[in-house]
Amino acid sequence: MSTVHRSIVCADIEGFGDPLRSDADRVVVRGGLYEALSKAFDGSAVPWDDCYREDRGDGALVLVSSEIPRKVLVTDLPILLAKELAAYNQECEWQARIRLRIAMNAGHIQYDEHGVVGSAINLTFRILNAEPFKQALACSSGLLALAVSNSFYAEVVRHERRSSPFSYRRARVLEKETKTDAWVCLPDRPFPDDADPATLPPLPTPRPVNDNWSPPRQLPADTAHFTGRDDELSRLLHLAADGRRPAGVAAISAIDGMAGIGKTALAVHAAHLLADRFDDGCLFLDLHGHTDSVDPVSPEDALERLLRALGVPGERIPHDVHERAALYRSRLAGTRTLIVLDNASGAEQVRPLLPGEAECLVLVTSRRRLISLDEALPISLDVLAPADGLAVLVAGASPRRIGADEIDAARRVVDLCGRLPLAVRIAAAHLRSRPAWTVTYLAGRLAEHRGALTVLNDRERDVAAAFALSYRALTPDQRRMFRRLGLHPGADADVHAAASLAGTTAEQARRLCEDLLDVHLLHQPALGRYRYHDLTRAFAAETVAAEESPDRCRAALTRLFDHYLGTAAAAMDVLYPAEKDRRPRVPAAETPGAPVDEPAAALAWLDAERPNLVAVCAHAAAHGLPEHATRLAATLFRYLDIGGHLTDAENLYGHARRAAAASGDRGGEAHLLTSLGGVHWYQGRYERADQIVQEALAIFEATGDRYGQARALSSLGIVHWRQGRYRRAADGNRRALALYREIGDLPGQARALGNLGLVRWRQGAYAEAVSALWEALARNRGLGDRRGEARMLGNLGNVHHHEGRYTQAADHHLRALALYREIGDRIGEADALTNLGLPVRRQGRPRRAADHHLRALALFHEHGDRNGQARALNGLGETLHDLGHDGRARVQHELALAIALETGDRYELARAHTGLAVIHLGAPASGHDRDHARHHARQALAIYTDLDVPEARDVQALLKGDHPTDTATEPP
C-alpha cells in the first residue's frame, strides 16, 4: 500500500433519501451534484479529472493532490460551487433541487486494491455527519454549508483573508468514537457578524419536505390497569435498548399465543412505554390474520396503508407489491419508527412489512409461532399466573370492590375465566358496573354459563362464558346492536353503518356502541369507528345466527348496503357532477348517511370506506344481492379511475361482474367488462384489454344497447391507438361518435372526438386533429368536465408540438397540468408533464425538460402505468442525448424498448429504436456502433412504415445520412 498526503473533500446531499423524492428524482439529483462539482473544481483551477473520486450514493469523496494549494478549496471553490448549485436549482422543480454539505480536511491516506483508507478520511466523514453541521444548513436559506477540521482551520483558513475566517463558527463533533471541534461557515448565506464567534448557536430541527405531514401516532389506547407479564415486558424493553444490531436489520419481536391471551395488550403497552424514543412516529396495523369473516390484509394493502400513514400520497404509491415494499423501506430509512403489526396470519404476511433500518422496532402478534422470522425475538404467551390474574381482576373492578373475605371467590372467578386476560377484564367490568353483585355471585353465574357450553373446548368455554354473561346483562337495544354489528362484512364500522344495521339514528347508534365499548365487547381503533376483538366477532356471528331470523338479517344487511351505496352516490355527485346522469340512480337510504356535501368530506369518506366498499361488493355478489354489487361498481368507477386505485378497482369489478353474470344481467356484465378493460389498459395489458372489451361489445350488440356499444368502441379505440393499429382505432372512434350523436350523449361525443383527434395526430393529419380536438374541448367546457378539458388541452399541445409551434404547445400543456393538479388527477398530471417536456426541450431548455420527464416517470411508475413509463423514458433519453449524457440516454431508451415490447405499444417501440440509432450514430466512429445504428434505424423504419406515420420519413433520412433525426418531433 502507498501512503500519500491529500486534501480531503466529502460531500453529502441534504435530504437525498427523503421518501418524497422518487428514485427518478435521485437520478437527477446525482447528475446535478457531479455537474456542479466538476464545474466548480475546474473553475477553481483544481482539475476534476485529476482528482481521485469515490461515489457514496448520496454524496462523494474527492481527494485533491498535495500540489494544489489548499487555500483555493476554501476561497474560490465554495463560491463557485454555490453559484453552480443555484444555476442548477433554477432549472429544477423542488424534488430535484440540491442543498449540499461539504467537509474538508487534510492528511495521510493509503491506497489499496479496494480504494483508500485513512484516519483523516474517517474524521472528515464524522464532521460531515455532525448534527450541528446538519442544523446549520437546515436553518440556512442558502444552498451550501462548509465545515473544516480544527487543524485545517488553524493551518489554512485563519491565515487566508479571502476565506473570511471570521465568518466561521465553532461546532462540536460527537460522532461515534470522535469527540472534537470543527469550524462551519455558510458561503452563500454567512452567519451574522454579531453572532457569538466561539460557538454555533442551537438551531431548530429541519422541517420535513412535506409541511402538511406529521409523524404518525397510531397506537390504540393502552390498557388502563396493565398487570403481569413482567418478564416478557422486560425482554421487549431490552430489545428496544440493544444497539448491537447490524446495519439494515430492524429490532423485531414476534409475540404469539392463543386468542384472548393478551398479545395485543402486551404489544400496545410496551409500545406506549417506548413511544417517546421513536421521534419519527408509531404505526399500528391490524392484519386480520384470524378475524372471523374478514379476509387477512394482503401485503399489498398493508403496504398501502402504512405508506399513507407515513405521508406518501395515495397517487404516489406504486401498484406492484415489491415496489411498494421498496418505497416503504426507503421511507423508513434513517428514521426511528415503532411499528406494531397485530394479528398476523403468518410470516409471509409480515415479511414485506419489515423495514431495513436498525433504528426501527417492530412488534408482531400472531396466534402462530413465526419461527421462519429468524431475526425476530420470539415471545410465547401462556395464561396469566394465578397471582397476576387476581391482580388484573382487582385492578379492573377496583380494589374496594373485592374485600379480603372474597379473595377466594375472586380466585375462582379468575380460574373460571381460564386466566385469560380478555375474559378476566370482562368479568371485572361486570363487578365495576353492577354494585349489587358480589364476587361469589359472579363466580356462580360464570360457572352456570360455562357448564352450558359443552361443545367447546376448555379455553373456548372460559372466554365464551364471559361473553355470554356480558351479553345477557345488556339491554335489548344493546344486545341488538352487538348482534347486528356481527353481520358487517368489513373490518370496522362508523356510527352511520352501525345505525343502518340496527335500524336506529346515528346518535342512538353512537350511544349504544359506546355502551358496548364500556363493557369490552367492542373496541375503538380510531375516533368514531368501532370493531370487535376476533373472539367477540365470532361470538357475535354465532349469536346473531341463533337469535335473528334470516329475513331480519337480510333486511339489516340490505339497509347497510343501501347506506353505503347511497352515501357513495352522494359523494360522487359532489366530486364528479358532470357524470351524474351516467351513474345509476340511487334512492336515498332509510337512515341518514355521513355528511359528504363538500368535496373534501366526500373524498375523505370514500378513502376511509374504500376497504369496506370492496368488502360490501364482494359480500353482496356472493349472497344474492347482485344489484348492490353492480350499482356500487358503476357508481365508484370515476373515483377508482382518477385515484389510480387499480387493485381495488380490479377486485370490485371482478366481484360485480360475477354477480351480474349469475343474475342474468348481461348489460351490467358488459359494462363491468368494459371497466375491467380500462384497468388492464392502464397496466399496459393491451391484448387482455382488447379481448374483454370485445366480449363486452358483443354483448352490447346482442342486447341492442347503443350507449354500451359506443362506450366499448371508444375504449377499443384507445387500446388500438396504444397498439398502433390506427385504422382500427379511427374506425372504432367514428362508430362510437355516430352512436353517441344518435342517442344525444354529449360527454360521449366529446370523448370520441378527442380520441379521434389523437388518431389523426399520429397519422399526421394535423388540421383534422385540431378541428376534432377543439370541438371536443368546447363540449367539455360546456359540460363543466374539467378532466376532459385538461385532456383536450394536452392533446392540442401534442399536435402543435409536431407542427413546430412550441410556444403554443407548452402553453396548452401548462394549462392542462394546472387543471390536472387542481382536480387531483395524478396520472393526468404525469401525462401533462411528459408532454410538456417535449416542447420545452425544443425551446432550448433540456435540463428543465429532463426534470419534467422524470417527474412524469415517477408518477407513472407509482401508478403502474406501463405505457406512460415508456413515453417518459423515451422523452428522458432524447433529452439526455441533447445534454451529452449518451450513456444514461441509452439506458432510458433500452428500458422503454423493453416495456414497449411487453405491452405491445409499437409507436413507443419504434421511438426507442430511433433514439438508440441516434445515440450509436453519434458515438465515436466504429463499425460496431454503425452496425447498431443501422439495426435500430431499420427496426424503427419497419414499424413506422407499417403504422403509416410521418416519423418514417425522419428515419429514412437518418439511414441515408442526410441529417441526424430529432426523435422527439417531426419537422414542421
Side-chain angles (χ1 to χ4, degrees), residues 14 99 101 130-142 144-147 167-172 183-186 189-192 195-196 199-207:
E14 182 186 58
R99 286 172 22 114
R101 297 194 317 281
E131 190 61 30
F133 188 24
K134 292 180 180 179
Q135 289 184 348
L137 179 59
C139 297
S140 165
S141 59
L144 182 65
L146 169 65
S167 70
Y168 283 74
R169 298 291 177 263
R170 190 192 303 269
R172 189 66 176 159
W183 293 83
V184 176
C185 76
L186 303 171
R189 291 290 188 276
F191 293 121
D196 182 356
T199 62
L200 188 69
L203 299 170
T205 303
R207 294 186 303 165

CSV table of all heavy atoms in Angstrom, one decimal, residues 14 99 101 130-142 144-147 167-172 183-186 189-192 195-196 199-207:
chain,number,residue,atom,x,y,z
A,14,GLU,N,-28.3,17.1,1.2
A,14,GLU,CA,-29.3,17.2,2.2
A,14,GLU,C,-30.6,16.5,1.8
A,14,GLU,O,-31.1,16.8,0.7
A,14,GLU,CB,-29.6,18.6,2.6
A,14,GLU,CG,-30.6,18.8,3.7
A,14,GLU,CD,-31.0,20.2,4.0
A,14,GLU,OE1,-31.5,20.9,3.0
A,14,GLU,OE2,-30.8,20.7,5.1
A,99,ARG,N,-29.3,20.9,-1.9
A,99,ARG,CA,-28.6,21.7,-0.8
A,99,ARG,C,-27.5,20.8,-0.3
A,99,ARG,O,-27.7,19.6,-0.1
A,99,ARG,CB,-29.5,22.1,0.3
A,99,ARG,CG,-30.4,23.3,-0.2
A,99,ARG,CD,-31.5,23.7,0.7
A,99,ARG,NE,-31.4,23.4,2.1
A,99,ARG,CZ,-31.3,24.3,3.1
A,99,ARG,NH1,-31.2,25.6,2.8
A,99,ARG,NH2,-31.3,24.0,4.4
A,101,ARG,N,-23.8,19.8,1.9
A,101,ARG,CA,-22.8,19.9,3.0
A,101,ARG,C,-21.5,19.5,2.4
A,101,ARG,O,-21.4,18.4,1.8
A,101,ARG,CB,-23.2,19.1,4.2
A,101,ARG,CG,-24.5,19.6,4.9
A,101,ARG,CD,-24.6,19.0,6.3
A,101,ARG,NE,-24.2,17.6,6.4
A,101,ARG,CZ,-25.0,16.6,6.0
A,101,ARG,NH1,-26.2,16.8,5.5
A,101,ARG,NH2,-24.6,15.3,6.2
A,130,ALA,N,-21.9,15.4,11.5
A,130,ALA,CA,-22.2,16.0,12.9
A,130,ALA,C,-23.5,16.8,12.8
A,130,ALA,O,-23.8,17.5,11.9
A,130,ALA,CB,-21.0,17.0,13.2
A,131,GLU,N,-24.3,16.7,13.9
A,131,GLU,CA,-25.6,17.3,14.0
A,131,GLU,C,-25.6,18.8,13.9
A,131,GLU,O,-26.4,19.4,13.2
A,131,GLU,CB,-26.3,16.8,15.2
A,131,GLU,CG,-27.8,17.2,15.3
A,131,GLU,CD,-28.6,16.6,14.2
A,131,GLU,OE1,-28.2,15.5,13.7
A,131,GLU,OE2,-29.6,17.2,13.7
A,132,PRO,N,-24.6,19.5,14.6
A,132,PRO,CA,-24.6,21.0,14.4
A,132,PRO,C,-24.4,21.4,13.0
A,132,PRO,O,-24.9,22.4,12.6
A,132,PRO,CB,-23.5,21.4,15.3
A,132,PRO,CG,-23.3,20.3,16.3
A,132,PRO,CD,-23.7,19.0,15.6
A,133,PHE,N,-23.6,20.6,12.3
A,133,PHE,CA,-23.3,21.0,10.8
A,133,PHE,C,-24.6,20.8,10.0
A,133,PHE,O,-25.0,21.6,9.2
A,133,PHE,CB,-22.2,20.1,10.3
A,133,PHE,CG,-21.7,20.4,9.0
A,133,PHE,CD1,-21.9,21.7,8.4
A,133,PHE,CD2,-21.1,19.5,8.2
A,133,PHE,CE1,-21.4,22.0,7.2
A,133,PHE,CE2,-20.6,19.8,6.9
A,133,PHE,CZ,-20.8,21.0,6.4
A,134,LYS,N,-25.3,19.7,10.3
A,134,LYS,CA,-26.6,19.5,9.6
A,134,LYS,C,-27.6,20.6,9.9
A,134,LYS,O,-28.3,21.1,9.0
A,134,LYS,CB,-27.2,18.1,10.0
A,134,LYS,CG,-26.4,16.9,9.5
A,134,LYS,CD,-27.1,15.6,9.9
A,134,LYS,CE,-26.3,14.4,9.5
A,134,LYS,NZ,-26.9,13.1,9.9
A,135,GLN,N,-27.7,21.0,11.1
A,135,GLN,CA,-28.6,22.0,11.5
A,135,GLN,C,-28.2,23.4,10.9
A,135,GLN,O,-29.1,24.2,10.6
A,135,GLN,CB,-28.7,22.1,13.1
A,135,GLN,CG,-29.3,20.9,13.7
A,135,GLN,CD,-29.5,21.1,15.2
A,135,GLN,OE1,-28.9,22.0,15.8
A,135,GLN,NE2,-30.3,20.2,15.8
A,136,ALA,N,-26.9,23.6,10.8
A,136,ALA,CA,-26.5,24.9,10.2
A,136,ALA,C,-27.1,25.1,8.8
A,136,ALA,O,-27.6,26.1,8.4
A,136,ALA,CB,-25.0,25.0,10.2
A,137,LEU,N,-27.0,24.0,8.0
A,137,LEU,CA,-27.6,24.1,6.6
A,137,LEU,C,-29.1,24.1,6.7
A,137,LEU,O,-29.8,24.8,6.0
A,137,LEU,CB,-27.1,22.9,5.8
A,137,LEU,CG,-27.6,22.8,4.4
A,137,LEU,CD1,-27.3,24.1,3.6
A,137,LEU,CD2,-27.1,21.6,3.6
A,138,ALA,N,-29.7,23.3,7.6
A,138,ALA,CA,-31.1,23.2,7.6
A,138,ALA,C,-31.8,24.5,8.0
A,138,ALA,O,-32.9,24.8,7.5
A,138,ALA,CB,-31.5,22.1,8.7
A,139,CYS,N,-31.1,25.3,8.8
A,139,CYS,CA,-31.7,26.6,9.2
A,139,CYS,C,-31.2,27.8,8.3
A,139,CYS,O,-31.5,28.9,8.6
A,139,CYS,CB,-31.3,26.9,10.7
A,139,CYS,SG,-32.1,25.6,11.7
A,140,SER,N,-30.4,27.5,7.3
A,140,SER,CA,-30.0,28.5,6.4
A,140,SER,C,-30.9,28.6,5.2
A,140,SER,O,-31.5,27.6,4.8
A,140,SER,CB,-28.5,28.2,5.9
A,140,SER,OG,-28.2,29.0,4.8
A,141,SER,N,-31.0,29.8,4.6
A,141,SER,CA,-31.7,29.9,3.4
A,141,SER,C,-30.8,29.7,2.2
A,141,SER,O,-31.3,29.8,1.0
A,141,SER,CB,-32.4,31.3,3.3
A,141,SER,OG,-31.4,32.3,3.3
A,142,GLY,N,-29.6,29.4,2.4
A,142,GLY,CA,-28.6,29.1,1.3
A,142,GLY,C,-28.6,27.7,0.9
A,142,GLY,O,-29.4,26.9,1.3
A,144,LEU,N,-25.5,25.9,0.5
A,144,LEU,CA,-24.2,25.3,0.8
A,144,LEU,C,-23.8,25.5,2.2
A,144,LEU,O,-23.9,26.7,2.7
A,144,LEU,CB,-23.1,25.8,-0.2
A,144,LEU,CG,-21.7,25.2,-0.1
A,144,LEU,CD1,-21.8,23.7,-0.5
A,144,LEU,CD2,-20.8,25.9,-1.0
A,145,ALA,N,-23.3,24.5,2.9
A,145,ALA,CA,-22.6,24.7,4.2
A,145,ALA,C,-21.2,24.0,4.1
A,145,ALA,O,-21.1,22.9,3.5
A,145,ALA,CB,-23.5,24.0,5.3
A,146,LEU,N,-20.3,24.7,4.6
A,146,LEU,CA,-18.9,24.1,4.6
A,146,LEU,C,-18.4,24.0,6.0
A,146,LEU,O,-18.5,24.9,6.8
A,146,LEU,CB,-18.0,25.1,3.8
A,146,LEU,CG,-16.5,24.9,3.9
A,146,LEU,CD1,-16.1,23.6,3.2
A,146,LEU,CD2,-15.7,26.1,3.2
A,147,ALA,N,-17.8,22.8,6.3
A,147,ALA,CA,-17.1,22.6,7.6
A,147,ALA,C,-15.7,22.1,7.4
A,147,ALA,O,-15.5,21.3,6.4
A,147,ALA,CB,-17.9,21.5,8.4
A,167,SER,N,-16.1,34.5,9.5
A,167,SER,CA,-17.4,34.0,9.2
A,167,SER,C,-17.6,32.6,9.6
A,167,SER,O,-18.8,32.1,9.5
A,167,SER,CB,-17.7,34.1,7.7
A,167,SER,OG,-16.9,33.1,6.9
A,168,TYR,N,-16.6,31.9,10.2
A,168,TYR,CA,-16.7,30.5,10.6
A,168,TYR,C,-17.2,30.5,12.1
A,168,TYR,O,-16.9,31.4,12.9
A,168,TYR,CB,-15.4,29.8,10.5
A,168,TYR,CG,-15.0,29.4,9.1
A,168,TYR,CD1,-14.6,30.3,8.1
A,168,TYR,CD2,-15.1,28.0,8.7
A,168,TYR,CE1,-14.3,29.9,6.9
A,168,TYR,CE2,-14.8,27.6,7.5
A,168,TYR,CZ,-14.4,28.5,6.5
A,168,TYR,OH,-14.1,28.1,5.2
A,169,ARG,N,-17.9,29.5,12.4
A,169,ARG,CA,-18.3,29.3,13.8
A,169,ARG,C,-17.9,27.9,14.3
A,169,ARG,O,-18.0,26.9,13.5
A,169,ARG,CB,-19.8,29.4,14.0
A,169,ARG,CG,-20.3,30.8,13.6
A,169,ARG,CD,-19.9,31.9,14.6
A,169,ARG,NE,-20.3,33.2,14.3
A,169,ARG,CZ,-19.5,34.1,13.6
A,169,ARG,NH1,-18.3,33.7,13.3
A,169,ARG,NH2,-19.9,35.3,13.4
A,170,ARG,N,-17.5,27.8,15.5
A,170,ARG,CA,-17.1,26.5,16.1
A,170,ARG,C,-18.3,25.6,16.3
A,170,ARG,O,-19.4,26.0,16.7
A,170,ARG,CB,-16.4,26.7,17.4
A,170,ARG,CG,-15.7,25.5,17.9
A,170,ARG,CD,-15.2,25.6,19.4
A,170,ARG,NE,-14.3,26.8,19.5
A,170,ARG,CZ,-13.0,26.8,19.5
A,170,ARG,NH1,-12.4,25.6,19.2
A,170,ARG,NH2,-12.3,27.9,19.6
A,171,ALA,N,-18.1,24.3,16.0
A,171,ALA,CA,-19.2,23.3,16.2
A,171,ALA,C,-18.6,22.1,16.9
A,171,ALA,O,-17.4,21.7,16.5
A,171,ALA,CB,-19.8,22.9,14.9
A,172,ARG,N,-19.3,21.5,17.8
A,172,ARG,CA,-18.8,20.3,18.5
A,172,ARG,C,-19.2,19.1,17.7
A,172,ARG,O,-20.3,18.9,17.3
A,172,ARG,CB,-19.4,20.3,19.9
A,172,ARG,CG,-18.8,19.2,20.8
A,172,ARG,CD,-17.3,19.5,21.1
A,172,ARG,NE,-16.7,18.5,22.0
A,172,ARG,CZ,-15.4,18.3,22.1
A,172,ARG,NH1,-14.6,19.0,21.4
A,172,ARG,NH2,-15.0,17.4,23.0
A,183,TRP,N,-15.1,23.7,12.3
A,183,TRP,CA,-15.5,25.1,12.0
A,183,TRP,C,-16.4,25.1,10.8
A,183,TRP,O,-16.1,24.5,9.8
A,183,TRP,CB,-14.2,25.9,11.8
A,183,TRP,CG,-13.4,26.0,13.0
A,183,TRP,CD1,-12.5,25.1,13.5
A,183,TRP,CD2,-13.5,27.1,14.0
A,183,TRP,NE1,-12.0,25.5,14.7
A,183,TRP,CE2,-12.6,26.7,15.0
A,183,TRP,CE3,-14.2,28.3,14.1
A,183,TRP,CZ2,-12.4,27.6,16.1
A,183,TRP,CZ3,-14.0,29.1,15.2
A,183,TRP,CH2,-13.1,28.7,16.2
A,184,VAL,N,-17.6,25.8,11.0
A,184,VAL,CA,-18.6,25.8,10.0
A,184,VAL,C,-18.8,27.2,9.4
A,184,VAL,O,-18.9,28.2,10.2
A,184,VAL,CB,-19.9,25.3,10.6
A,184,VAL,CG1,-21.1,25.3,9.6
A,184,VAL,CG2,-19.8,23.9,11.1
A,185,CYS,N,-19.0,27.3,8.1
A,185,CYS,CA,-19.4,28.6,7.5
A,185,CYS,C,-20.5,28.3,6.4
A,185,CYS,O,-20.7,27.2,6.0
A,185,CYS,CB,-18.2,29.3,6.9
A,185,CYS,SG,-17.7,28.6,5.3
A,186,LEU,N,-21.2,29.4,6.1
A,186,LEU,CA,-22.2,29.3,5.1
A,186,LEU,C,-21.8,30.2,3.9
A,186,LEU,O,-22.1,31.4,4.0
A,186,LEU,CB,-23.6,29.7,5.7
A,186,LEU,CG,-24.1,28.9,6.9
A,186,LEU,CD1,-25.3,29.5,7.5
A,186,LEU,CD2,-24.4,27.5,6.5
A,189,ARG,N,-24.7,32.3,2.5
A,189,ARG,CA,-25.6,33.0,3.4
A,189,ARG,C,-24.8,33.1,4.7
A,189,ARG,O,-25.1,32.3,5.7
A,189,ARG,CB,-26.9,32.2,3.7
A,189,ARG,CG,-27.8,32.2,2.5
A,189,ARG,CD,-28.4,33.6,2.3
A,189,ARG,NE,-29.5,33.5,1.2
A,189,ARG,CZ,-29.3,33.6,-0.1
A,189,ARG,NH1,-28.0,33.7,-0.5
A,189,ARG,NH2,-30.3,33.5,-0.9
A,190,PRO,N,-23.8,34.0,4.8
A,190,PRO,CA,-22.9,34.0,6.0
A,190,PRO,C,-23.7,34.2,7.3
A,190,PRO,O,-24.8,34.8,7.3
A,190,PRO,CB,-22.0,35.2,5.7
A,190,PRO,CG,-22.1,35.4,4.2
A,190,PRO,CD,-23.5,35.0,3.9
A,191,PHE,N,-23.1,33.7,8.4
A,191,PHE,CA,-23.7,34.0,9.7
A,191,PHE,C,-23.6,35.5,10.0
A,191,PHE,O,-22.7,36.1,9.5
A,191,PHE,CB,-22.9,33.2,10.8
A,191,PHE,CG,-23.0,31.8,10.8
A,191,PHE,CD1,-21.8,31.0,10.6
A,191,PHE,CD2,-24.2,31.1,10.9
A,191,PHE,CE1,-21.9,29.6,10.6
A,191,PHE,CE2,-24.3,29.7,10.9
A,191,PHE,CZ,-23.2,29.0,10.7
A,192,PRO,N,-24.5,36.0,10.7
A,192,PRO,CA,-24.5,37.4,11.0
A,192,PRO,C,-23.2,37.8,11.8
A,192,PRO,O,-22.7,37.0,12.5
A,192,PRO,CB,-25.7,37.7,11.9
A,192,PRO,CG,-26.1,36.3,12.4
A,192,PRO,CD,-25.7,35.3,11.4
A,195,ALA,N,-22.9,37.5,15.6
A,195,ALA,CA,-23.1,36.2,16.2
A,195,ALA,C,-21.9,35.9,17.1
A,195,ALA,O,-20.8,36.3,16.9
A,195,ALA,CB,-23.3,35.1,15.2
A,196,ASP,N,-22.1,35.0,18.1
A,196,ASP,CA,-21.0,34.6,19.0
A,196,ASP,C,-20.0,33.8,18.2
A,196,ASP,O,-20.3,32.8,17.7
A,196,ASP,CB,-21.6,33.7,20.1
A,196,ASP,CG,-20.5,33.3,21.1
A,196,ASP,OD1,-19.4,33.6,20.9
A,196,ASP,OD2,-20.9,32.6,22.1
A,199,THR,N,-19.1,29.8,19.5
A,199,THR,CA,-19.9,28.6,19.4
A,199,THR,C,-20.9,28.8,18.3
A,199,THR,O,-21.3,29.9,18.0
A,199,THR,CB,-20.7,28.4,20.7
A,199,THR,OG1,-21.5,29.5,21.0
A,199,THR,CG2,-19.7,28.2,21.9
A,200,LEU,N,-21.4,27.7,17.8
A,200,LEU,CA,-22.5,27.7,16.9
A,200,LEU,C,-23.8,27.7,17.7
A,200,LEU,O,-24.0,26.8,18.5
A,200,LEU,CB,-22.4,26.5,16.0
A,200,LEU,CG,-23.4,26.4,14.8
A,200,LEU,CD1,-23.0,27.5,13.8
A,200,LEU,CD2,-23.4,25.1,14.1
A,201,PRO,N,-24.7,28.6,17.5
A,201,PRO,CA,-25.8,28.7,18.4
A,201,PRO,C,-26.8,27.5,18.1
A,201,PRO,O,-26.7,26.9,17.0
A,201,PRO,CB,-26.5,30.0,18.0
A,201,PRO,CG,-26.0,30.3,16.6
A,201,PRO,CD,-24.6,29.7,16.6
A,202,PRO,N,-27.6,27.1,19.1
A,202,PRO,CA,-28.5,26.0,18.9
A,202,PRO,C,-29.5,26.3,17.7
A,202,PRO,O,-29.9,27.4,17.6
A,202,PRO,CB,-29.3,25.9,20.2
A,202,PRO,CG,-28.4,26.5,21.2
A,202,PRO,CD,-27.7,27.6,20.4
A,203,LEU,N,-29.7,25.3,16.9
A,203,LEU,CA,-30.5,25.5,15.7
A,203,LEU,C,-31.7,24.5,15.7
A,203,LEU,O,-31.5,23.4,16.2
A,203,LEU,CB,-29.7,25.3,14.4
A,203,LEU,CG,-28.6,26.3,14.2
A,203,LEU,CD1,-27.7,25.9,13.1
A,203,LEU,CD2,-29.1,27.7,14.0
A,204,PRO,N,-32.9,24.9,15.3
A,204,PRO,CA,-34.0,24.0,15.3
A,204,PRO,C,-33.9,22.9,14.4
A,204,PRO,O,-33.1,22.9,13.4
A,204,PRO,CB,-35.2,24.9,14.9
A,204,PRO,CG,-34.6,26.0,14.1
A,204,PRO,CD,-33.2,26.2,14.7
A,205,THR,N,-34.6,21.8,14.6
A,205,THR,CA,-34.6,20.6,13.7
A,205,THR,C,-35.2,21.0,12.4
A,205,THR,O,-36.1,21.8,12.3
A,205,THR,CB,-35.5,19.5,14.3
A,205,THR,OG1,-35.0,19.2,15.6
A,205,THR,CG2,-35.5,18.3,13.5
A,206,PRO,N,-34.6,20.5,11.3
A,206,PRO,CA,-35.1,20.8,10.0
A,206,PRO,C,-36.6,20.4,9.8
A,206,PRO,O,-37.0,19.4,10.3
A,206,PRO,CB,-34.2,20.0,9.0
A,206,PRO,CG,-33.0,19.7,9.8
A,206,PRO,CD,-33.4,19.6,11.2
A,207,ARG,N,-37.3,21.2,9.0
A,207,ARG,CA,-38.7,20.8,8.8
A,207,ARG,C,-38.7,19.7,7.7
A,207,ARG,O,-37.9,19.7,6.8
A,207,ARG,CB,-39.5,22.0,8.2
A,207,ARG,CG,-39.7,23.1,9.2
A,207,ARG,CD,-40.6,24.2,8.7
A,207,ARG,NE,-40.0,24.7,7.4
A,207,ARG,CZ,-40.7,25.5,6.6
A,207,ARG,NH1,-42.0,25.7,6.8
A,207,ARG,NH2,-40.2,25.9,5.5
